[in-house]
Amino acid sequence: MMLRASALSPTRRLRHAGLIAAALLSLAGCATLPREGFTAAEQAVAAPAGFEGVRYPESSPALAAVIEQALRPDSRGDITALALSGGGANGAFGAGVLYAWSQAGDLPQFQLVTGVSTGALTAPFAFLGKGWEEQMRRSYTEGPVYHLLKAKGLYSLLTPGVYSRAPLDDLVASYVTDELMQAVAAEHARGRRLLVATTNLDTEQLIVWDMGAIASHGGPAARKLFAQVLVASASVPGVFQPSLIPVQSAGHAFAEMHVDGQTESAFFAVPPPLVLSHAPDVSMKRVRYYVIVNGQLEGRFAVTKRSSLPILARSFDTAARASLRQTVISTSEFCEAHGCQMRFTEIPATERDDPLDFSPAHVKSLFTAGITAVRAGSAWRASVLTP
């Protein structure tokens, strides 16, 4: 019996389309688009033209040094950091948390803000803080966000991505303005750091971009790269086409393929060189690390249909949730070992965890849930084991 797409939820429509596309992959060789070739050695020293030193592989000791330098006490002696997870439409919850936090007047001026996927889209607003919350609210709760999943029809079989990426490009371009770039650059000059992660499919690495360093270059090229990185971090593989970011290496120009940072990590908080360090950094003992999880750590009961598509979809959900839960646990363990205080928040069990439902009702409900949790004083907790 044929399954009608119109009868499916947004999430199931997407999974259905993605699984069909995967099944047709062997027939789609003629749809492969050409790319400029390059070697691993060339890629290892490549950088966007004019933007050397603005990005790091997750495992780079240089990235660990950037983070350690950022985590210095502010004028009040506070050290605070924020990590924003992926989660698609669920990002409205995190936006609601930040909105209420800012409205209450006690949103910290984080020394470090990191974002992955939908968290990358929120990260610049969290970094800039007071005065930017209304623009963040509009980006998550008004018209454009409801139309992010714009189907390409049969054309999707000829190009990467089931859905058009144009609405996502337009949404990001609408708020990556000269004003935002100048504000980010000014905070970067004060020693604060805004980091966004993408996944480089060519190297299978998480790449962390120093967005303040990019903004500090100024001009149209910096604004273009800033927007490219945000879009790349939020471009779910198979859903949207990947971002081809132009780079140069010893005079050879080519493009790297970058996709959703969540492909590699549910969120980015602590780089491996710090996690693996056997000598706790004394400065970490004064850090308060906040993590906004745009999802739910615990699975929900539902009888899985005995059919290939439901089994695959549920398996993907289970794997993604396990990865998210493990990242929260490992970050918590790092903080416990190094003396820093970690607090995290997740979508309440009363809300539906559906990253691909961009309907107004779902998005507004999640945004409101974030506001409610902060105002009720129930947003933050320290342990995965306690409610």
Side-chain angles (χ1 to χ4, degrees):
M1 181 176 67
M2 181 176 293
L3 188 61
R4 294 184 295 113
S6 60
L8 300 174
S9 69
T11 300
R12 291 182 179 178
R13 282 204 307 272
L14 178 61
R15 290 172 182 149
H16 185 64
L19 292 170
I20 290 175
L24 293 175
L25 187 60
S26 61
L27 302 177
C30 60
T32 300
L33 302 178
R35 291 184 65 197
E36 175 76 22
F38 54 94
T39 66
E42 288 175 322
Q43 196 286 321
V45 294
F51 290 91
E52 290 75 15
V54 300
R55 63 182 192 167
Y56 310 89
E58 181 190 21
S59 58
S60 167
L63 174 61
V66 167
I67 290 176
E68 287 184 298
Q69 284 295 318
L71 297 177
R72 302 300 180 193
D74 62 15
S75 59
R76 296 181 299 180
D78 295 331
I79 308 174
T80 53
L82 173 70
L84 297 154
S85 86
N90 289 345
F93 169 74
V97 168
L98 291 167
Y99 182 83
W101 206 356
S102 181
Q103 289 278 293
D106 55 359
L107 178 71
Q109 192 173 64
F110 301 105
Q111 280 94 329
L112 174 68
V113 174
T114 71
V116 171
S117 194
T118 191
L121 304 184
T122 315
F125 301 117
F127 182 69
L128 295 176
K130 189 66 177 176
W132 291 85
E133 66 270 20
E134 284 300 329
Q135 191 167 346
M136 177 184 64
R137 180 192 62 78
R138 290 194 297 271
S139 71
Y140 267 94
T141 64
E142 295 186 0
V145 75
Y146 307 141
H147 307 290
L148 284 183
L149 297 185
K150 182 179 179 182
K152 296 191 296 185
L154 292 177
Y155 186 61
S156 65
L157 297 179
L158 302 177
T159 57
V162 175
Y163 290 93
S164 170
R165 207 188 65 192
L168 177 59
D169 289 329
D170 292 344
L171 175 63
V172 171
S174 72
Y175 67 77
V176 178
T177 61
D178 288 337
E179 182 185 9
L180 182 139
M181 295 288 286
Q182 291 164 8
V184 170
E187 294 306 316
H188 179 81
R190 294 177 55 206
R192 300 174 63 219
R193 293 295 177 262
L194 170 61
L195 306 178
V196 164
T198 64
T199 298
N200 185 334
L201 281 187
D202 297 317
T203 63
E204 298 183 346
Q205 287 180 309
L206 190 75
I207 303 298
V208 180
W209 300 76
D210 188 334
M211 306 301 282
I214 295 173
S216 297
H217 280 73
R223 196 168 90 176
K224 180 179 180 180
L225 180 59
F226 195 100
Q228 278 183 318
V229 172
L230 293 183
V231 169
S233 185
S235 294
V236 181
V239 178
F240 299 119
Q241 68 178 25
S243 291
L244 293 174
I245 298 181
V247 296
Q248 288 187 348
S249 177
H252 181 197
F254 55 93
E256 299 171 342
M257 184 177 287
H258 288 258
V259 297
D260 191 345
Q262 196 173 5
T263 305
E264 274 283 335
S265 181
F267 62 86
F268 174 76
V270 185
L274 284 181
V275 173
L276 299 174
S277 173
H278 297 292
D281 188 332
V282 175
S283 67
M284 295 300 293
K285 293 182 179 180
R286 301 175 63 183
V287 175
R288 287 177 291 147
Y289 222 128
Y290 295 92
V291 177
I292 294 181
V293 176
N294 292 306
Q296 294 170 338
L297 298 181
E298 298 301 323
R300 308 302 295 273
F301 174 79
V303 177
T304 306
K305 293 182 180 179
R306 192 177 179 182
S307 179
S308 295
L309 290 179
I311 291 172
L312 284 172
R314 197 71 189 273
S315 298
F316 292 154
D317 283 348
T318 301
R321 203 180 305 276
S323 173
L324 177 59
R325 188 164 51 245
Q326 185 54 49
T327 306
V328 170
I329 291 171
S330 62
T331 304
S332 177
E333 289 176 342
F334 170 85
C335 281
E336 183 176 351
H338 289 70
C340 58
Q341 299 177 22
M342 175 185 158
R343 297 292 183 270
F344 76 96
T345 186
E346 62 175 315
I347 293 176
T350 52
E351 295 294 317
R352 187 163 49 85
D353 180 353
D354 192 342
L356 300 171
D357 183 359
F358 286 92
S359 66
H362 185 236
V363 170
K364 289 180 179 179
S365 179
L366 288 172
F367 187 80
T368 301
I371 292 175
T372 301
V374 171
R375 291 179 177 171
S378 60
W380 303 103
R381 58 193 177 106
S383 172
V384 179
L385 301 178
T386 58

